Amino acid sequence: MKRTLITTYRFGSSIVGLLIALFAILLASSDASAQDLVPTPATSAPTLPAYGIAVVKDGDSWYFDAVVERLTTELTALAENRYTFEVKTLSAGHDPVKVRALLRQASADPNVDVLYASGAVATENAKRMSVAERTKPILAGAVQFSDTAGLISPE
């Protein structure tokens, strides 16, 4: 089966899979070599690659706020001396029309490398974005059944 750019996760699943996927995407897109990360006596601290993560939220949600908090905590530990990152949160205030606009905005932002669709409406809207709109990897946070949601397409 051919998968689209949207990675899916089940409700209540471990965030470990999300973290591994995000970490792999970040490191795969890095053009920093190991030499760039090791300080030499003649130079000061190395310049670490910086990545932007956009969290597009349906609205306030204790569940997804906790997911983003765990994601940030884990990435902080993984990033030590390798890269830096900034999490930019965009909330639609439970307005479905605004969710789509925020996804497009984050996808077009040159400072964003990865999007996390935080909520069922954000995930559904991310799925419905055209290939031209999906210019960056999107992690879907709220797909319960990826095969019935249309996220996995047959070849």
Side-chain angles (χ1 to χ4, degrees), residues 49-119:
Y51 298 99
I53 303 167
V55 176
V56 179
K57 298 171 52 171
D58 293 352
D60 291 334
S61 164
W62 65 267
Y63 175 82
F64 286 108
D65 290 345
V67 169
V68 172
E69 185 178 319
R70 289 190 308 268
L71 171 71
T72 303
T73 300
E74 187 68 22
L75 283 176
T76 299
L78 292 171
E80 187 176 342
N81 298 322
R82 289 186 285 218
Y83 61 89
T84 62
F85 66 93
E86 178 183 349
V87 177
K88 181 179 190 178
T89 302
L90 306 169
S91 180
H94 299 288
D95 179 351
V97 175
K98 192 172 179 184
V99 169
R100 179 80 177 216
L102 290 176
L103 285 164
R104 287 182 181 147
Q105 174 187 332
S107 189
D109 187 337
N111 296 319
V112 171
D113 298 297
V114 177
L115 283 74
Y116 175 61
S118 177

Side-chain angles (χ1 to χ4, degrees), residues 18-69:
L18 173 65
L19 293 172
I20 291 169
L22 182 59
F23 186 65
I25 290 167
L26 291 174
L27 287 181
S29 66
S30 173
D31 48 357
S33 68
Q35 287 181 333
D36 295 333
L37 302 178
V38 177
T40 60
T43 63
S44 61
T47 302
L48 299 176
Y51 298 99
I53 303 167
V55 176
V56 179
K57 298 171 52 171
D58 293 352
D60 291 334
S61 164
W62 65 267
Y63 175 82
F64 286 108
D65 290 345
V67 169
V68 172
E69 185 178 319

